[in-house]
Amino acid sequence: MYAFRTDVIAQNLVTGELLHGDGGASIYPRWSPDGKKYAFISNKGERSIYKTSLYFHDVDANKTRMIKPGVQKAFAWSPDGNQLVFSERRNGGGLRLLDIKTGRVASLLPEGKDPAWSPKDASLIAYVDGNPEEIWLTDPTGRNKRKLVEGGYPGWAADGRTLFFHSRTQRKVMAIRADVAGAQPTEV
């Protein structure tokens, strides 16, 4: 079985430039809203794939630097590019906000993972919490939160009102309007 899969991979190779080859896991690349830098998670310099950190790469300067150790999951840029929201397993877990200019980290919520920041007005952050997993919404202060729907892996449409997610019960990608009270999910 393994030999068959490697044959399939070898027949469908994708070529390109290797951007970050040191470390066994460089994942979750995300471009900044202005397109001048990107952030990613990597285990550069570590022997364990579980010891990852958040890195920035400045495209013009062609420089990469580690910003925050211990970041292991997906993260999201604020629409203005001044902050990142990420989940942290260490230090009690939960969602954190990273100020790009100062490097300061503030606690947003004591729970949550897989955040997605609304792209239009930056007023909402979607995140996953609970078991079974549920998608919640909060404002960037963490004060106004509400459950939206059961599911995981939230991602915003460009309109900033529609949220796509994976329905665990239906095993499908679904969409729901986050700005309409009582909205029901629809199949994509």
Side-chain angles (χ1 to χ4, degrees):
M1 180 69 139
Y2 181 74
F4 170 76
R5 289 186 182 198
T6 56
D7 287 344
V8 171
I9 292 169
Q11 293 169 9
N12 296 286
L13 288 179
V14 175
T15 59
E17 180 183 347
L18 179 63
L19 298 176
H20 300 282
D22 50 341
S26 291
I27 55 177
Y28 302 123
R30 304 281 189 267
W31 282 100
S32 62
D34 64 8
K36 294 182 179 180
K37 57 188 165 280
Y38 58 88
F40 62 99
I41 306 291
S42 181
N43 69 334
K44 288 174 171 246
E46 296 290 345
R47 297 182 77 149
S48 170
I49 62 169
Y50 300 106
K51 291 185 177 181
T52 55
S53 300
L54 178 65
Y55 287 82
F56 282 169
H57 180 82
D58 183 309
V59 176
D60 292 336
N62 196 27
K63 297 215 183 227
T64 302
R65 63 187 174 105
M66 194 265 289
I67 298 298
K68 176 78 175 88
V71 179
Q72 296 177 319
K73 291 281 198 172
F75 58 90
W77 290 91
S78 62
D80 63 9
N82 292 327
Q83 294 181 304
L84 282 175
V85 60
F86 65 93
S87 58
E88 185 172 53
R89 287 189 182 169
R90 299 181 335 180
N91 303 322
L95 293 180
R96 308 281 188 257
L97 289 175
L98 170 68
D99 184 293
I100 302 300
K101 291 179 184 165
T102 67
R104 288 191 199 134
V105 176
S107 179
L108 178 64
L109 291 170
E111 72 278 341
K113 66 177 185 173
D114 301 334
W117 211 314
S118 62
K120 279 290 190 193
D121 60 5
S123 65
L124 292 174
I125 297 171
Y127 65 96
V128 177
D129 192 37
N131 188 10
E133 290 186 339
E134 302 167 329
I135 297 176
W136 288 72
L137 299 175
T138 187
D139 64 13
T141 68
R143 291 190 195 110
N144 299 303
K145 62 183 192 172
R146 65 182 169 98
K147 178 184 165 186
L148 185 63
V149 68
E150 282 191 19
Y153 302 110
W156 291 96
D159 67 9
R161 295 186 297 258
T162 305
L163 190 72
F164 296 99
F165 67 97
H166 179 258
S167 169
R168 303 291 199 237
T169 57
Q170 295 187 29
R171 298 180 181 190
K172 297 177 182 175
V173 175
M174 307 288 282
I176 190 167
R177 290 287 301 265
D179 61 335
V180 176
Q184 295 299 309
T186 58
E187 187 176 334
V188 176

mmCIF file with all atom_site columns, all heavy atoms in Angstrom, residues 93-97 105-111 140-142:
data_model
loop_
_atom_site.group_PDB
_atom_site.id
_atom_site.type_symbol
_atom_site.label_atom_id
_atom_site.label_alt_id
_atom_site.label_comp_id
_atom_site.label_asym_id
_atom_site.label_entity_id
_atom_site.label_seq_id
_atom_site.pdbx_PDB_ins_code
_atom_site.Cartn_x
_atom_site.Cartn_y
_atom_site.Cartn_z
_atom_site.occupancy
_atom_site.B_iso_or_equiv
_atom_site.pdbx_formal_charge
_atom_site.auth_seq_id
_atom_site.auth_comp_id
_atom_site.auth_asym_id
_atom_site.auth_atom_id
_atom_site.pdbx_PDB_model_num
ATOM 1   N N   . GLY A 1 93  ? -3.576  27.643 27.906 1.00 0.00 ? 93  GLY A N   1
ATOM 2   C CA  . GLY A 1 93  ? -4.317  27.524 26.651 1.00 0.00 ? 93  GLY A CA  1
ATOM 3   C C   . GLY A 1 93  ? -5.167  28.736 26.343 1.00 0.00 ? 93  GLY A C   1
ATOM 4   O O   . GLY A 1 93  ? -5.061  29.785 26.970 1.00 0.00 ? 93  GLY A O   1
ATOM 5   N N   . GLY A 1 94  ? -6.013  28.596 25.339 1.00 0.00 ? 94  GLY A N   1
ATOM 6   C CA  . GLY A 1 94  ? -6.918  29.664 24.953 1.00 0.00 ? 94  GLY A CA  1
ATOM 7   C C   . GLY A 1 94  ? -6.430  30.486 23.788 1.00 0.00 ? 94  GLY A C   1
ATOM 8   O O   . GLY A 1 94  ? -5.413  30.183 23.164 1.00 0.00 ? 94  GLY A O   1
ATOM 9   N N   . LEU A 1 95  ? -7.181  31.540 23.487 1.00 0.00 ? 95  LEU A N   1
ATOM 10  C CA  . LEU A 1 95  ? -6.857  32.431 22.372 1.00 0.00 ? 95  LEU A CA  1
ATOM 11  C C   . LEU A 1 95  ? -6.071  33.629 22.867 1.00 0.00 ? 95  LEU A C   1
ATOM 12  O O   . LEU A 1 95  ? -6.394  34.213 23.900 1.00 0.00 ? 95  LEU A O   1
ATOM 13  C CB  . LEU A 1 95  ? -8.128  32.902 21.672 1.00 0.00 ? 95  LEU A CB  1
ATOM 14  C CG  . LEU A 1 95  ? -8.937  31.841 20.937 1.00 0.00 ? 95  LEU A CG  1
ATOM 15  C CD1 . LEU A 1 95  ? -10.170 32.472 20.306 1.00 0.00 ? 95  LEU A CD1 1
ATOM 16  C CD2 . LEU A 1 95  ? -8.104  31.142 19.884 1.00 0.00 ? 95  LEU A CD2 1
ATOM 17  N N   . ARG A 1 96  ? -5.069  34.005 22.086 1.00 0.00 ? 96  ARG A N   1
ATOM 18  C CA  . ARG A 1 96  ? -4.205  35.133 22.417 1.00 0.00 ? 96  ARG A CA  1
ATOM 19  C C   . ARG A 1 96  ? -4.158  36.092 21.232 1.00 0.00 ? 96  ARG A C   1
ATOM 20  O O   . ARG A 1 96  ? -4.318  35.693 20.086 1.00 0.00 ? 96  ARG A O   1
ATOM 21  C CB  . ARG A 1 96  ? -2.773  34.662 22.695 1.00 0.00 ? 96  ARG A CB  1
ATOM 22  C CG  . ARG A 1 96  ? -2.645  33.554 23.709 1.00 0.00 ? 96  ARG A CG  1
ATOM 23  C CD  . ARG A 1 96  ? -2.763  34.101 25.129 1.00 0.00 ? 96  ARG A CD  1
ATOM 24  N NE  . ARG A 1 96  ? -2.460  33.067 26.085 1.00 0.00 ? 96  ARG A NE  1
ATOM 25  C CZ  . ARG A 1 96  ? -3.374  32.405 26.781 1.00 0.00 ? 96  ARG A CZ  1
ATOM 26  N NH1 . ARG A 1 96  ? -4.646  32.639 26.600 1.00 0.00 ? 96  ARG A NH1 1
ATOM 27  N NH2 . ARG A 1 96  ? -3.022  31.509 27.662 1.00 0.00 ? 96  ARG A NH2 1
ATOM 28  N N   . LEU A 1 97  ? -3.899  37.354 21.532 1.00 0.00 ? 97  LEU A N   1
ATOM 29  C CA  . LEU A 1 97  ? -3.691  38.384 20.513 1.00 0.00 ? 97  LEU A CA  1
ATOM 30  C C   . LEU A 1 97  ? -2.241  38.833 20.565 1.00 0.00 ? 97  LEU A C   1
ATOM 31  O O   . LEU A 1 97  ? -1.724  39.163 21.632 1.00 0.00 ? 97  LEU A O   1
ATOM 32  C CB  . LEU A 1 97  ? -4.599  39.588 20.758 1.00 0.00 ? 97  LEU A CB  1
ATOM 33  C CG  . LEU A 1 97  ? -6.076  39.402 20.512 1.00 0.00 ? 97  LEU A CG  1
ATOM 34  C CD1 . LEU A 1 97  ? -6.840  40.657 20.919 1.00 0.00 ? 97  LEU A CD1 1
ATOM 35  C CD2 . LEU A 1 97  ? -6.339  39.080 19.054 1.00 0.00 ? 97  LEU A CD2 1
ATOM 36  N N   . VAL A 1 105 ? 1.819   40.090 23.823 1.00 0.00 ? 105 VAL A N   1
ATOM 37  C CA  . VAL A 1 105 ? 0.764   39.087 23.718 1.00 0.00 ? 105 VAL A CA  1
ATOM 38  C C   . VAL A 1 105 ? -0.230  39.322 24.850 1.00 0.00 ? 105 VAL A C   1
ATOM 39  O O   . VAL A 1 105 ? 0.154   39.490 26.002 1.00 0.00 ? 105 VAL A O   1
ATOM 40  C CB  . VAL A 1 105 ? 1.349   37.662 23.820 1.00 0.00 ? 105 VAL A CB  1
ATOM 41  C CG1 . VAL A 1 105 ? 0.238   36.625 23.817 1.00 0.00 ? 105 VAL A CG1 1
ATOM 42  C CG2 . VAL A 1 105 ? 2.318   37.401 22.677 1.00 0.00 ? 105 VAL A CG2 1
ATOM 43  N N   . ALA A 1 106 ? -1.510  39.362 24.491 1.00 0.00 ? 106 ALA A N   1
ATOM 44  C CA  . ALA A 1 106 ? -2.576  39.534 25.477 1.00 0.00 ? 106 ALA A CA  1
ATOM 45  C C   . ALA A 1 106 ? -3.552  38.361 25.363 1.00 0.00 ? 106 ALA A C   1
ATOM 46  O O   . ALA A 1 106 ? -3.787  37.842 24.277 1.00 0.00 ? 106 ALA A O   1
ATOM 47  C CB  . ALA A 1 106 ? -3.314  40.847 25.224 1.00 0.00 ? 106 ALA A CB  1
ATOM 48  N N   . SER A 1 107 ? -4.113  37.983 26.485 1.00 0.00 ? 107 SER A N   1
ATOM 49  C CA  . SER A 1 107 ? -5.111  36.913 26.492 1.00 0.00 ? 107 SER A CA  1
ATOM 50  C C   . SER A 1 107 ? -6.427  37.453 25.946 1.00 0.00 ? 107 SER A C   1
ATOM 51  O O   . SER A 1 107 ? -6.886  38.513 26.346 1.00 0.00 ? 107 SER A O   1
ATOM 52  C CB  . SER A 1 107 ? -5.308  36.387 27.913 1.00 0.00 ? 107 SER A CB  1
ATOM 53  O OG  . SER A 1 107 ? -6.287  35.377 27.919 1.00 0.00 ? 107 SER A OG  1
ATOM 54  N N   . LEU A 1 108 ? -7.024  36.731 25.007 1.00 0.00 ? 108 LEU A N   1
ATOM 55  C CA  . LEU A 1 108 ? -8.338  37.088 24.482 1.00 0.00 ? 108 LEU A CA  1
ATOM 56  C C   . LEU A 1 108 ? -9.413  36.278 25.191 1.00 0.00 ? 108 LEU A C   1
ATOM 57  O O   . LEU A 1 108 ? -10.362 36.832 25.725 1.00 0.00 ? 108 LEU A O   1
ATOM 58  C CB  . LEU A 1 108 ? -8.395  36.852 22.964 1.00 0.00 ? 108 LEU A CB  1
ATOM 59  C CG  . LEU A 1 108 ? -9.733  37.136 22.293 1.00 0.00 ? 108 LEU A CG  1
ATOM 60  C CD1 . LEU A 1 108 ? -10.101 38.610 22.402 1.00 0.00 ? 108 LEU A CD1 1
ATOM 61  C CD2 . LEU A 1 108 ? -9.696  36.698 20.833 1.00 0.00 ? 108 LEU A CD2 1
ATOM 62  N N   . LEU A 1 109 ? -9.274  34.951 25.199 1.00 0.00 ? 109 LEU A N   1
ATOM 63  C CA  . LEU A 1 109 ? -10.215 34.047 25.849 1.00 0.00 ? 109 LEU A CA  1
ATOM 64  C C   . LEU A 1 109 ? -9.455  32.874 26.456 1.00 0.00 ? 109 LEU A C   1
ATOM 65  O O   . LEU A 1 109 ? -8.447  32.445 25.888 1.00 0.00 ? 109 LEU A O   1
ATOM 66  C CB  . LEU A 1 109 ? -11.240 33.505 24.846 1.00 0.00 ? 109 LEU A CB  1
ATOM 67  C CG  . LEU A 1 109 ? -12.253 34.504 24.284 1.00 0.00 ? 109 LEU A CG  1
ATOM 68  C CD1 . LEU A 1 109 ? -13.025 33.872 23.126 1.00 0.00 ? 109 LEU A CD1 1
ATOM 69  C CD2 . LEU A 1 109 ? -13.213 34.959 25.365 1.00 0.00 ? 109 LEU A CD2 1
ATOM 70  N N   . PRO A 1 110 ? -9.950  32.304 27.557 1.00 0.00 ? 110 PRO A N   1
ATOM 71  C CA  . PRO A 1 110 ? -9.253  31.159 28.154 1.00 0.00 ? 110 PRO A CA  1
ATOM 72  C C   . PRO A 1 110 ? -9.483  29.848 27.404 1.00 0.00 ? 110 PRO A C   1
ATOM 73  O O   . PRO A 1 110 ? -8.896  28.841 27.749 1.00 0.00 ? 110 PRO A O   1
ATOM 74  C CB  . PRO A 1 110 ? -9.846  31.088 29.560 1.00 0.00 ? 110 PRO A CB  1
ATOM 75  C CG  . PRO A 1 110 ? -11.187 31.711 29.441 1.00 0.00 ? 110 PRO A CG  1
ATOM 76  C CD  . PRO A 1 110 ? -11.065 32.772 28.372 1.00 0.00 ? 110 PRO A CD  1
ATOM 77  N N   . GLU A 1 111 ? -10.332 29.866 26.376 1.00 0.00 ? 111 GLU A N   1
ATOM 78  C CA  . GLU A 1 111 ? -10.617 28.671 25.589 1.00 0.00 ? 111 GLU A CA  1
ATOM 79  C C   . GLU A 1 111 ? -10.511 29.004 24.119 1.00 0.00 ? 111 GLU A C   1
ATOM 80  O O   . GLU A 1 111 ? -10.435 30.160 23.746 1.00 0.00 ? 111 GLU A O   1
ATOM 81  C CB  . GLU A 1 111 ? -12.023 28.125 25.903 1.00 0.00 ? 111 GLU A CB  1
ATOM 82  C CG  . GLU A 1 111 ? -13.166 28.963 25.366 1.00 0.00 ? 111 GLU A CG  1
ATOM 83  C CD  . GLU A 1 111 ? -13.560 30.169 26.226 1.00 0.00 ? 111 GLU A CD  1
ATOM 84  O OE1 . GLU A 1 111 ? -13.224 30.224 27.412 1.00 0.00 ? 111 GLU A OE1 1
ATOM 85  O OE2 . GLU A 1 111 ? -14.205 31.075 25.670 1.00 0.00 ? 111 GLU A OE2 1
ATOM 86  N N   . PRO A 1 140 ? -13.131 41.417 19.174 1.00 0.00 ? 140 PRO A N   1
ATOM 87  C CA  . PRO A 1 140 ? -11.695 41.392 19.470 1.00 0.00 ? 140 PRO A CA  1
ATOM 88  C C   . PRO A 1 140 ? -11.327 41.705 20.924 1.00 0.00 ? 140 PRO A C   1
ATOM 89  O O   . PRO A 1 140 ? -10.161 41.606 21.287 1.00 0.00 ? 140 PRO A O   1
ATOM 90  C CB  . PRO A 1 140 ? -11.114 42.452 18.523 1.00 0.00 ? 140 PRO A CB  1
ATOM 91  C CG  . PRO A 1 140 ? -12.080 42.526 17.403 1.00 0.00 ? 140 PRO A CG  1
ATOM 92  C CD  . PRO A 1 140 ? -13.425 42.316 18.044 1.00 0.00 ? 140 PRO A CD  1
ATOM 93  N N   . THR A 1 141 ? -12.317 42.048 21.752 1.00 0.00 ? 141 THR A N   1
ATOM 94  C CA  . THR A 1 141 ? -12.044 42.233 23.179 1.00 0.00 ? 141 THR A CA  1
ATOM 95  C C   . THR A 1 141 ? -12.311 40.951 23.964 1.00 0.00 ? 141 THR A C   1
ATOM 96  O O   . THR A 1 141 ? -11.904 40.844 25.116 1.00 0.00 ? 141 THR A O   1
ATOM 97  C CB  . THR A 1 141 ? -12.921 43.356 23.782 1.00 0.00 ? 141 THR A CB  1
ATOM 98  O OG1 . THR A 1 141 ? -14.291 42.926 23.786 1.00 0.00 ? 141 THR A OG1 1
ATOM 99  C CG2 . THR A 1 141 ? -12.771 44.649 23.011 1.00 0.00 ? 141 THR A CG2 1
ATOM 100 N N   . GLY A 1 142 ? -13.014 39.991 23.361 1.00 0.00 ? 142 GLY A N   1
ATOM 101 C CA  . GLY A 1 142 ? -13.368 38.753 24.042 1.00 0.00 ? 142 GLY A CA  1
ATOM 102 C C   . GLY A 1 142 ? -14.552 38.880 24.975 1.00 0.00 ? 142 GLY A C   1
ATOM 103 O O   . GLY A 1 142 ? -14.914 37.943 25.672 1.00 0.00 ? 142 GLY A O   1
#
